[in-house]
Amino acid sequence: MNPAEGRLWSEDFWRAVDPVVVSAGYHRAEEGWVSPRRHLVLPDFDPWYIAAGAGAVCLDGQWQEFVAGDLVVLRPGVLYERERAAPGNPFQVYFAHLLPFGEAGAR
């Protein structure tokens, strides 16, 4: 704890690690939906909250399944390739793109 301020972390610390939300949104997959193939190394954190349905995302060449209620966190450096909806149960997802280290991370 910083005895001078009576707090564990300084304002400089919080400014350095305060994440920046680059974008956020909602996606509802259609029945049989598969995203276009991509070869993207993620530059940011992408948390996904799966609100309904089920599906899978291909990361680093491996399919990872998800279902309603899951929180999926894609981290920087992961190779994102594509995603797909589960047959008969397409997913609905809330997502965000976060730079982990505030304004400093944007440079």
Side-chain angles (χ1 to χ4, degrees):
M1 180 179 294
N2 183 341
E5 296 181 19
R7 295 185 308 198
L8 183 59
W9 306 106
S10 70
E11 288 300 318
D12 289 338
F13 171 82
W14 287 116
R15 276 192 295 280
V17 299
D18 186 27
V20 171
V21 177
V22 176
S23 65
Y26 169 81
H27 173 71
R28 181 179 182 174
E30 299 293 328
E31 178 72 26
W33 181 80
V34 178
S35 69
R37 185 177 301 277
R38 299 184 66 187
H39 187 85
L40 173 67
V41 176
L42 295 177
D44 57 8
F45 283 96
D46 293 12
W48 298 0
Y49 172 69
I50 311 305
V57 59
C58 189
L59 304 170
D60 291 331
Q62 300 288 318
W63 284 99
Q64 305 295 322
E65 295 184 359
F66 52 78
V67 297
D70 283 353
L71 178 63
V72 178
V73 179
L74 286 58
R75 67 185 192 289
V78 167
L79 175 62
Y80 168 86
E81 296 179 56
R82 64 191 329 181
E83 57 200 77
R84 66 181 179 214
N89 192 17
F91 65 89
Q92 297 175 41
V93 60
Y94 292 92
F95 63 88
H97 293 274
L98 306 172
L99 293 175
F101 301 110
E103 295 300 324
R107 293 181 212 142

